[in-house]
Amino acid sequence: MNLLAPVQEAGLGRREQLVQALRRAMLGGQLSSGEQLPSSRVLASDLGLSRVTVEAAYGRLEAEGYLQRNVGRGSFVKLDLPTSRPSASRGPVGKPLTGPAELSRRGQRIHEGGGCSDPQIAQAFAAGSPDLRAFPHALWRQLWTRHLRAAPLGMGYGDPQGHEGLREAIAAYLNASRGLHCRPEQVLVLSSSQQALQLIAHLLLDEGDRVWQEEPGYRGAATVWAAAGAELQAVPVDAEGLPPNAPYAAPKLVYLTPSHQYPCGMALSLPRRLAWLERAKQEGLWLVEDDYDSEFHYDGRPMPALQGLDHNGRVLYLGTFSKTLFPSLRLAYLVLPETLVAPFVVARTLMDGHPAQLPQAVTADFMRQGHFSAHLRLMRQLYAERREVLLEALQPLNAWLKPHPSPGGLQLAATLPPGQEARLSRAAAERGVLTPSLSALYRGSAAQDGWLLGYSALTPAEIRLAAQSLQSLNRHAS
Ligand SMILES: Cc1ncc(COP(=O)(O)O)c(C=O)c1O
């Protein structure tokens, strides 16, 4: 047996290699307790080592308790391994490590839920991405460099609630533009809406609690509630959004996209907003307001946020920079009722401490210096034009592809004849066009076939080209 073989590549000295090889052989059971090792002279000659090296290795192992050495009798393995000892490559004895089978109940729900991820390339018609080519890169670089020069800012730990300047900028923006009533002390800066939803589930839901979710609705949210062990109630939306008096068992938490329902695009009507707030006050339920893309309304201003109407601290408002700046920035924010701030900040320290300091500082400058509003104005114009281009380019398909009316957003929901989605999506993919599924956003039985066509990241020429490719599907659709 070449005892040195397993560690020859490790870049260690020869004595250390021998120590490790012997230790591993003993722990792995190839050398068992009581077994006599070759004398240092014999082993040195077998391995082509000096006797001093082998003596030193034996001495180390004796000192560590692996060997017993008796003068005149030799060196013996002393290690008694427990019989049920789990080894490095297996789980508890008798149960091979198979992944999901070893998970907690929560872990299994997370795994089975399949998670959620967003498209990484801006290909027609991937949904939900802002135009990254139109981003003011040079300006961003300048702000970034300025902060890098001002080191050590950004190199130490930061506030778990988020960079103070950024929280101030977010609160000022939301109060002025989205009709919120909030102070910077209520803002929690996070790495994503997804992280916010995860925190909300951790802190506000127990297993078996009921959550109402819009139907169709955002999978990223539904997956989180399900992973938390909540009873998910999919409640169909109508032209006024989610009905507060739907005939289902009362929820503990309601997830809403009130400004621009995801994915259909309507706003929650004012009477329903007031009814939801009243119900939340009476029954002590939580309303999660996901205001994910209300910056991009093209027909007038979006309705102000539900949070601004709440006088009882029942609304958790959620926003993200994934759409307004860029997704890989990984910055989002929660505006919390005063009573929830402390527990959320504590819980956040158990997750990732805080988002990276430098991007927060740069984003704060970008907002404070007026670049954020200017950028939004420009993007609003760009995306409004692109929505028009898409609607026009889809007209030849309107016999079978019917766009939903929507006042804004980065994508357009369009319905297909029942039973056609899978076949038409395959045919579109063969032509190099992605057509994100609408039916996948339903949890109940009455799923509507359709597509969610992203347009904001595409130039008018790219939109027309992809729509032309879809025109050749006309005969498949009839
Ligand atoms: C309804 C909704 N909320 C939130 C987000 C943004 O998520 P994040 O901040 O995790 O990137 C998206 C992204 O597509 C979304 O569609």
Side-chain angles (χ1 to χ4, degrees):
M1 172 177 58
N2 183 0
L3 281 169
L4 285 179
V7 288
Q8 264 167 2
E9 301 301 317
L12 302 169
R14 311 204 83 189
R15 187 194 60 185
E16 196 53 34
Q17 287 183 33
L18 181 59
V19 168
Q20 288 209 11
L22 287 169
R23 210 192 272 129
R24 190 173 300 173
M26 287 185 268
L27 288 169
Q30 292 105 310
L31 290 173
S32 40
S33 192
E35 204 169 316
Q36 184 169 14
L37 293 184
S39 70
S40 55
R41 186 180 49 77
V42 170
L43 190 60
S45 132
D46 281 358
L47 297 176
L49 299 172
S50 79
R51 195 167 165 198
V52 175
T53 303
V54 177
E55 273 296 328
Y58 278 9
R60 263 278 293 286
L61 289 165
E62 183 183 26
E64 289 176 10
Y66 286 88
L67 290 185
Q68 175 143 19
R69 307 188 74 196
N70 301 317
V71 184
R73 286 188 51 219
S75 305
F76 298 85
V77 177
K78 198 175 97 172
L79 189 66
D80 261 333
L81 296 174
T83 49
S84 63
R85 178 187 60 95
S87 79
S89 59
R90 288 170 62 92
V93 167
K95 271 207 247 164
L97 194 61
T98 53
E102 303 293 331
L103 298 175
S104 65
R105 283 203 306 278
R106 189 199 299 113
Q108 283 177 32
R109 287 193 300 265
I110 291 173
H111 182 75
E112 282 157 17
C116 57
S117 60
D118 291 296
Q120 292 177 16
I121 41 158
Q123 182 184 340
F125 288 110
S129 177
D131 189 345
L132 306 178
R133 291 171 288 192
F135 188 76
H137 297 277
L139 173 60
W140 189 262
R141 234 183 347 262
Q142 257 174 33
L143 297 175
W144 191 267
T145 311
R146 231 200 59 215
H147 276 287
L148 273 179
R149 284 206 197 100
L153 172 85
M155 298 182 76
Y157 285 113
D159 182 343
Q161 194 172 345
H163 182 279
E164 193 181 352
L166 181 57
R167 285 191 284 115
E168 282 166 5
I170 290 171
Y173 159 69
L174 294 175
N175 291 337
S177 301
R178 297 296 303 123
L180 268 80
H181 291 301
C182 72
R183 299 180 303 117
E185 291 78 7
Q186 290 171 262
V187 177
L188 173 59
V189 182
L190 296 161
S191 65
S192 62
S193 310
Q194 209 54 49
Q195 188 183 40
L197 295 167
Q198 191 70 33
L199 263 179
I200 292 171
H202 269 306
L203 285 159
L204 302 184
L205 292 177
D206 289 312
E207 273 187 42
D209 281 346
R210 189 169 292 270
V211 174
W212 283 19
Q213 161 102 14
E214 297 166 332
E215 171 89 329
Y218 184 46
R219 259 187 64 90
T223 313
V224 166
W225 315 135
E231 288 285 324
L232 204 51
Q233 179 65 61
V235 181
V237 291
D238 60 24
E240 288 186 66
L242 193 72
N245 56 357
Y248 304 108
K252 170 143 189 210
L253 182 147
V254 183
Y255 170 79
L256 295 154
T257 47
S259 302
H260 187 231
Q261 202 274 333
Y262 182 92
C264 297
M266 78 291 276
L268 186 67
S269 67
L270 183 59
R272 284 196 179 171
R273 285 171 189 246
L274 298 173
W276 268 120
L277 290 169
E278 183 57 25
R279 186 166 180 190
K281 176 178 142 194
Q282 296 295 339
E283 299 176 22
L285 54 91
W286 298 111
L287 304 177
V288 176
E289 174 175 27
D290 185 352
D291 203 24
Y292 64 107
D293 74 353
S294 60
E295 286 81 6
F296 304 112
H297 261 233
Y298 314 129
D299 309 329
R301 283 170 73 90
M303 276 178 93
L306 185 63
Q307 195 272 2
L309 297 172
D310 175 27
H311 302 296
N312 299 288
R314 306 311 303 173
V315 175
L316 290 83
Y317 175 93
L318 169 56
T320 178
F321 288 110
S322 287
K323 318 289 175 195
T324 49
L325 293 177
F326 53 97
S328 77
L329 180 59
R330 297 288 76 199
L331 284 179
Y333 40 91
L334 254 179
V335 177
L336 292 160
E338 307 269 358
T339 51
L340 292 183
V341 174
F344 270 70
V345 173
V346 169
R348 181 308 135 66
T349 65
L350 298 186
M351 283 187 157
D352 60 350
H354 62 81
Q357 284 281 82
L358 209 52
Q360 292 189 82
V362 171
T363 305
D365 276 0
F366 193 78
M367 294 181 89
R368 280 192 296 233
Q369 295 173 14
H371 307 303
F372 187 63
S373 332
H375 179 59
L376 288 182
R377 260 197 310 279
L378 216 63
M379 292 306 102
R380 217 174 280 128
Q381 240 172 36
L382 209 63
Y383 301 164
E385 278 164 29
R386 291 172 181 187
R387 183 185 62 155
E388 290 313 306
V389 170
L390 178 63
L391 283 169
E392 200 183 303
L394 292 181
Q395 268 173 14
L397 284 60
N398 283 172
W400 50 274
L401 183 67
K402 305 208 181 302
H404 261 271
S406 169
L410 308 182
Q411 63 252 336
L412 193 73
T415 57
L416 290 166
Q420 301 277 334
E421 188 190 289
R423 203 168 56 84
L424 288 169
S425 299
R426 269 197 305 277
E430 280 162 18
R431 288 155 179 77
V433 181
L434 299 178
T435 51
S437 161
L438 182 62
S439 68
L441 304 177
Y442 287 78
R443 297 184 71 86
S445 50
Q448 166 75 60
D449 274 6
W451 290 333
L452 197 58
L453 303 175
Y455 54 84
S456 46
L458 306 170
T459 63
E462 289 165 338
I463 293 172
R464 288 194 190 99
L465 196 67
Q468 252 166 31
S469 303
L470 292 184
Q471 278 182 32
S472 64
L473 299 182
N474 274 340
R475 61 196 159 80
H476 290 259
S478 49

